[in-house]
Amino acid sequence: MSEAAELSRAASIEAPAIVLDKVNKWYGTLHVLRDVSMTVAQKERVVVCGPSGSGKSTMIRCINRLESHQEGRILVDGTELTDDLRALDTIRREVGMVFQSFNLFPHLTILENCTLAPIWVRKMPKNDAEELAMNYLTRVKIPEQAKKYPGQLSGGQQQRVAIARALCMKPKIMLFDEPTSALDPEMIKEVLDTMIELAESGMTMVCVTHEMGFARRVADRVVFMDRGEIVESGTPVRMFEDPQTDRLKLFLSQIL
Ligand code: ADP
Ligand code: MG
C-alpha cells in the first residue's frame, strides 16, 4: 500500500463516527437547528435530551439523512452527507435507526421484517439472511416470535424486533429516537435492557431518551438541547448533579 493510501486508511480508522459542524436547519421560516456542533467518537454512547420541540428528532434525522440540513456539515464515519447518492447509500448501510413508533411492516412476519433489507439491499442469500435474523432475534430474546406478525406482539416485543431488524444490516452506528416513550411502563425495561446490552457490546449509539437511569448506566456523554441549540453537554453525573444552566436545571426539575 502506498504511503498516501496508508495515511488515508489510518485517517478513516481514526475518523469520528459522527461530526456535526455548525449545522443549521429551517422548516420554512422555523429555525429548528441553530449552529449545532457535536462530535461522537467511535464506540461512544451519547444520550440526547431536552424539551419537546427542541430539535432532537430533527438532529437525529439529519444524521441519517432522513432530513437534510441547509448550513454546516455533517460527516458520518468520515463521509460527508451531501446529495451524492453514493454518500447516501453509505450512510443508510452504516447507520441503523429505531423510532418511537417501531415502524415494522404489518403485513410481513417478524422474520420477514428482519430479512427484507439484508436480502434486497445487501443482496444476501435468503437462507443466510434468515440465519442472521434468527441470531439477532435470539439476542433480543424473542426467537420464538419469528413466524408471527407485528400485530400479534406486545409493544415491547415489537420494539425489540425493530432493534433486531436494524442490527441485521450490520450498522456501525445506531440511532434511537425515544424508543421507549410509546411503551407501557412494564415494557420499558425489556427494551432498555436490550439497549444496555448493545451499548456494552461496543456499539456507537446516539439515543434520544429521557430515561435517566439508562443515561447514567451507559452514556459516556449527555447532550441537552433546547430551542434548536445544544445548551450543555457533559458526563451523566456532571449533567444531573451539577447542571450549569438555568435551562437544564428547569428541564431536570420537570423530568426527575
Ligand atoms: P423534538 O424531537 O425535540 O421534540 P423536533 O425535532 O421533532 O423536536 O421538532 C423541532 C421543531 O420543528 C418543532 O417546533 C416541530 O414542530 C418542528 N418540526 C418538526 N418536524 C417538522 C416538519 N416536518 N415540518 C415542519 N416543522 C417541523
Ligand atoms: Mg422527537
Side-chain angles (χ1 to χ4, degrees):
M1 202 183 284
S2 73
E3 196 178 339
E6 191 73 69
L7 273 174
S8 95
R9 198 178 71 94
S12 75
I13 288 170
E14 294 304 315
I18 302 167
V19 177
L20 284 83
D21 182 22
K22 294 210 163 88
V23 172
N24 282 278
K25 177 170 180 64
W26 290 260
Y27 286 118
T29 56
L30 186 66
H31 196 178
V32 285
L33 295 179
R34 298 169 179 262
D35 273 340
V36 169
S37 294
M38 170 173 85
T39 299
V40 179
Q42 304 282 353
K43 294 184 187 282
E44 197 178 11
R45 281 88 36 121
V46 175
V47 161
V48 179
C49 63
S52 177
S54 58
K56 305 178 300 294
S57 294
T58 303
M59 180 178 78
I60 290 280
R61 293 168 67 85
C62 282
I63 295 171
N64 205 15
R65 202 69 179 167
L66 292 173
E67 295 283 353
S68 51
H69 56 289
Q70 283 109 7
E71 283 180 11
R73 301 176 75 203
I74 302 179
L75 290 87
V76 174
D77 220 20
T79 302
E80 179 159 8
L81 303 196
T82 60
D83 291 330
D84 179 43
L85 286 178
R86 270 166 312 170
L88 193 60
D89 198 47
T90 309
I91 279 27
R92 291 285 152 77
R93 282 162 184 263
E94 293 197 359
V95 183
M97 174 130 183
V98 174
F99 303 85
Q100 178 174 340
S101 52
F102 327 140
N103 295 7
L104 298 175
F105 299 110
H107 60 292
L108 297 181
T109 65
I110 299 311
L111 187 64
E112 288 163 349
N113 263 278
C114 293
T115 58
L116 190 69
I119 290 171
W120 293 100
V121 180
R122 287 233 190 254
K123 313 288 179 211
M124 195 181 273
K126 186 164 179 250
N127 285 344
D128 294 357
E130 288 183 347
E131 193 181 328
L132 180 74
M134 288 310 298
N135 282 339
Y136 282 114
L137 288 171
T138 304
R139 203 164 140 191
V140 302
K141 304 191 171 68
I142 33 175
E144 73 284 356
Q145 309 293 339
K147 299 284 184 226
K148 292 192 186 162
Y149 288 86
Q152 297 173 285
L153 271 59
S154 72
Q157 289 174 324
Q158 289 189 55
Q159 194 58 300
R160 285 185 286 147
V161 172
I163 295 172
R165 178 177 65 171
L167 293 174
C168 284
M169 287 296 279
K170 301 268 176 102
K172 295 179 73 176
I173 299 167
M174 285 282 286
L175 307 176
F176 292 85
D177 191 1
E178 303 207 36
T180 59
S181 37
L183 297 176
D184 292 331
E186 69 272 21
M187 289 169 192
I188 291 176
K189 185 176 178 298
E190 65 189 46
V191 171
L192 289 178
D193 284 347
T194 302
M195 292 170 63
I196 289 169
E197 263 189 54
L198 191 59
E200 288 174 349
S201 77
M203 178 66 79
T204 305
M205 292 165 68
V206 180
C207 309
V208 176
T209 180
H210 294 161
E211 293 291 337
M212 295 305 153
F214 172 79
R216 276 182 193 272
R217 170 112 183 236
V218 306
D220 299 300
R221 191 149 48 98
V222 174
V223 169
F224 171 64
M225 289 185 77
D226 191 17
R227 292 180 230 149
E229 294 175 313
I230 294 182
V231 176
E232 202 173 326
S233 71
T235 63
V237 171
R238 212 283 289 145
M239 292 286 279
F240 300 150
E241 279 155 34
D242 187 22
Q244 301 292 304
T245 58
D246 289 341
R247 286 201 256 176
L248 177 56
K249 284 178 200 167
L250 175 67
F251 176 72
L252 292 173
S253 73
Q254 287 164 344
I255 61 158
L256 292 179

